[in-house]
Amino acid sequence: AKQRLPPGPRPTPILGNITGIDARNPWKTYTKWAAEYGDIIYTQLLGQDIIVLSSERVARDLLDRRSHNYSSRPASLIPINELFGTEFSSIFLPYGDRWRLHRRLFHQAFNMNAASSFRPIQMETAHDLMMNLFMTPDDFPAHVQALSIATIMAIVYDYKASSRHDPVVAYVEKTIEIAMQEVRPEVAAVIGAFPFLKYLPPWFPGASFKRNALISQECCAKWVDAPFQHVKRNMAGGTAAQSMVSDILTRIQDTARTEGDAAYMEKTAKEASASAYAAASETTFSTLSTFILAMVLYPEAQKRAQAEIDSVIGSNLTRLPVWEDRSSLPYIDAIIKETMRWHPVAPLGIPHATVDDDVYEGYYIPKGATILVNAWAMSRDPANYPRPDEFLPERFLTSEYGTNGETPSFAFGFGRRVCVGRYVADASLWAAIVSMLAIFHFEPAPGCDLGPEGENVVWTEGVTTHPKFPCKITPRHEGLTHERLLQLVQMST
Ligand code: HEM
């Protein structure tokens, strides 16, 4: 008997459901469909099977409990990654030995215990952020981005990125900017279905993605190599500090049996470290931008967080928050969780794919199907998160709002593909957020109406999304000088 696919909107011939999708916010279309057809729906884009999971329950059942079958990445993303030069990226590797080796390198560097060794770096970049915000508060997006980049560059390569116009950073940022726009299922489906598009000359009208691809390929080659060579040079000269790459290179020297082995491991290390950068910088930046927006729109939450910090470090700023304060600041943890819940950085996650055919609750799920995690829909589920559009950190502190207090599972993804950098990410966010709240007050920029619930805020489009808005940032403590802030920073290191 013909197997029954999950329900969904009826596809039109050839194009499938592509014409019905809001290209700017595809997660909103999928969420609307989920309301109509349920937690698990089937759609088609140009002949490709797409299954969208819209509840945490279904995502856990399939991606966690059947992770052996749901941990690949869509084959349709391979051509587009090759086109853009990002084929090596751990994030997009299909399930298999190559991906497993990447994952092992990450696990050694970023597991819960290992991740804590990066705390001094994270606090130092948080302090740099405070100093920058103090001097030029209106440039806050650039400062937050600088923090996100500097943190991961230091952790992975012990590379000190200069805060402006760093050449290595410029390559990576360009590649990521392009990849965020183009390496997503809706674009991949078009190129997969019409492979000749790949061969259009870059000057061809409408072939902007091809021009982008050439730029991306060039930037990628430099991004993967330049910082890696920096570590090797420092190791050879005996000046390398600890980093993910120096640790791996030391292990290769100690364990590789043949030269071939060593060369393969080194190539893998290069690819994995470059991927860590891509995965970490944009996501950290987006989360912190969303946090600042929440503080502007929800002054009560901001006030409560600051009162909590003051109750621990004192209200006259005799010292800055330090790691040991974390356990006394539960509301700050709740703010971090609620930021990731309120506007998930990757509203459709990173697509998974099935290895084999499967059947779930009577529905047929084909081999090779793209599995989209609709984090947006999960974040808006009123059963788990009452008043879902509101920023309410309290929901992670009391059962009144229904959560179990844990970070929402959709924030960092599922199964064997769950974010390998989640402990690093959590610590970077904490250091930055607690430092910002200790020193600054965030309010709407004068004359700028964001709307009571932020309706007028513009969010960027792509795999990840962040808000763009102006904001007024002022020191909370009257008479705080640059010199005094510097003194406080020096006292706590
Ligand atoms: C707030 C910050 C972050 C968020 C919200 C975030 C979120 C995610 C999500 C949703 C995924 C996809 C999971 C899935 O496929 O189900 C992912 C994958 C990944 N993340 Fe993160 N991430 C963050 C920070 C980081 C950091 C700091 C690192 C590295 C230090 C990192 C490294 C990775 C890597 C390598 C993958 C790919 C894993 C794989 O495909 O096997 N992430 N992340």
Side-chain angles (χ1 to χ4, degrees):
K2 197 166 177 313
Q3 309 234 41
R4 192 161 57 108
L5 289 161
R10 179 190 284 272
T12 51
I14 307 176
L15 290 178
N17 298 112
I18 203 159
T19 49
I21 292 178
D22 173 355
R24 297 156 67 92
N25 302 296
W27 49 90
K28 299 220 165 136
T29 307
Y30 293 133
T31 302
K32 210 173 67 205
W33 288 345
E36 199 172 337
Y37 301 102
D39 290 352
I40 175 162
I41 60 176
Y42 174 86
T43 75
Q44 228 188 53
L45 288 180
L46 300 158
Q48 290 169 35
D49 300 315
I50 313 243
I51 309 264
V52 189
L53 311 181
S54 297
S55 74
E56 293 184 72
R57 180 186 69 86
V58 172
R60 284 221 183 82
D61 277 357
L62 296 180
L63 306 183
D64 287 350
R65 300 211 174 87
R66 300 186 190 178
S67 62
H68 57 280
N69 192 43
Y70 285 84
S71 297
S72 199
R73 297 293 192 201
S76 65
L77 293 177
I78 294 174
I80 195 164
N81 271 304
E82 282 173 349
L83 189 62
F84 285 90
T86 44
E87 160 285 334
F88 65 85
S89 163
S90 326
I91 307 162
F92 297 116
L93 287 178
Y95 196 55
D97 286 340
R98 189 173 169 207
W99 165 78
R100 240 176 242 116
L101 189 53
H102 279 233
R103 200 76 205 182
R104 182 161 5 118
L105 295 181
F106 285 126
H107 181 75
Q108 282 162 341
F110 300 148
N111 67 62
M112 203 194 307
N113 287 328
S116 61
S117 69
F118 301 119
R119 284 178 180 178
I121 294 175
Q122 289 161 318
M123 200 49 102
E124 196 186 317
T125 50
H127 289 164
D128 289 347
L129 171 67
M130 278 182 344
M131 299 304 298
N132 289 335
L133 286 176
F134 190 87
M135 285 185 290
T136 50
D138 293 346
D139 288 341
F140 75 94
H143 300 324
V144 171
Q145 187 165 35
L147 166 128
S148 311
I149 292 171
T151 311
I152 196 67
M153 285 300 263
I155 289 176
V156 174
Y157 301 109
D158 173 38
Y159 181 93
K160 236 191 162 6
S162 52
S163 61
R164 271 167 211 262
H165 311 304
D166 186 277
V168 173
V169 168
Y171 298 135
V172 194
E173 285 311 304
K174 190 72 205 162
T175 321
I176 294 177
E177 185 192 314
I178 294 171
M180 284 300 155
Q181 291 164 17
E182 316 266 14
V183 185
R184 54 197 169 97
E186 293 79 17
V187 178
V190 175
I191 296 189
F194 304 111
F196 62 87
L197 288 176
K198 265 204 311 196
Y199 304 109
L200 289 180
W203 46 261
F204 194 80
S208 68
F209 75 93
K210 186 65 186 276
R211 272 192 302 279
N212 277 341
L214 294 177
I215 300 171
S216 174
Q217 282 171 15
E218 252 171 55
C219 291
C220 252
K222 293 186 180 139
W223 148 32
V224 175
D225 206 52
F228 197 82
Q229 296 308 337
H230 160 89
V231 182
K232 287 187 86 170
R233 266 196 312 275
N234 284 351
M235 287 178 79
T239 57
Q242 194 220 346
S243 67
M244 170 179 168
V245 171
S246 69
D247 283 355
I248 298 174
L249 290 175
T250 308
R251 269 202 309 274
I252 296 176
Q253 283 166 2
D254 296 346
T255 58
R257 281 188 297 269
T258 64
E259 262 181 39
D261 261 7
Y264 180 69
M265 284 298 293
E266 189 171 315
K267 178 169 173 287
T268 308
K270 220 178 189 180
E271 296 173 343
S273 46
S275 312
Y277 183 117
S281 59
E282 185 71 20
T283 46
T284 307
F285 167 68
S286 295
T287 310
L288 290 174
S289 305
T290 303
F291 155 76
I292 294 176
L293 177 64
M295 293 302 97
V296 171
L297 292 175
Y298 295 88
E300 288 307 312
Q302 180 178 177
K303 221 183 274 162
R304 182 164 170 192
Q306 286 162 339
E308 183 180 76
I309 293 173
D310 290 352
S311 77
V312 171
I313 68 167
S315 52
N316 49 0
L317 202 63
T318 50
R319 70 171 179 90
L320 297 175
V322 291
W323 290 105
E324 290 68 29
D325 297 325
R326 186 161 186 177
S327 57
S328 318
L329 298 169
Y331 195 73
I332 304 298
D333 279 348
I335 282 198
I336 296 175
K337 291 171 189 164
E338 178 66 345
T339 299
M340 291 195 279
R341 197 282 314 166
W342 185 48
H343 275 272
V345 167
L348 286 175
I350 306 286
H352 287 227
T354 49
V355 175
D356 255 317
D357 287 342
D358 193 19
V359 174
Y360 176 68
E361 294 188 340
Y363 296 126
Y364 168 57
I365 298 179
K367 172 182 174 156
T370 293
I371 310 289
L372 293 183
V373 173
N374 191 353
W376 179 258
M378 296 175 195
S379 77
R380 290 296 174 273
D381 179 351
N384 287 340
Y385 310 106
R387 294 154 61 186
D389 291 333
E390 289 173 54
F391 184 85
L392 296 171
E394 292 76 10
R395 65 172 93 245
F396 291 99
L397 295 175
T398 59
S399 55
E400 176 192 341
Y401 292 105
T403 76
N404 59 4
E406 300 286 321
T407 301
S409 55
F410 53 80
F412 288 119
F414 291 91
R416 294 180 197 182
R417 288 286 186 167
V418 66
C419 176
V420 284
R422 61 198 184 283
Y423 303 113
V424 171
D426 173 67
S428 296
L429 295 175
W430 188 81
I433 285 175
V434 81
S435 302
M436 282 192 277
L437 285 172
I439 300 298
F440 298 106
H441 183 58
F442 300 85
E443 328 164 60
C448 170
D449 180 15
L450 301 177
E453 301 281 333
E455 294 84 346
N456 304 335
V457 175
V458 176
W459 292 77
T460 59
E461 296 157 24
V463 178
T464 62
T465 166
H466 66 261
K468 290 173 95 155
F469 59 98
C471 146
K472 183 174 164 201
I473 304 176
T474 45
R476 287 170 54 208
H477 300 85
E478 216 170 303
L480 179 67
T481 59
H482 182 262
E483 206 178 8
R484 173 65 183 149
L485 190 55
L486 195 60
Q487 203 178 36
L488 286 165
V489 165
Q490 283 160 352
M491 267 163 49
S492 49
T493 42

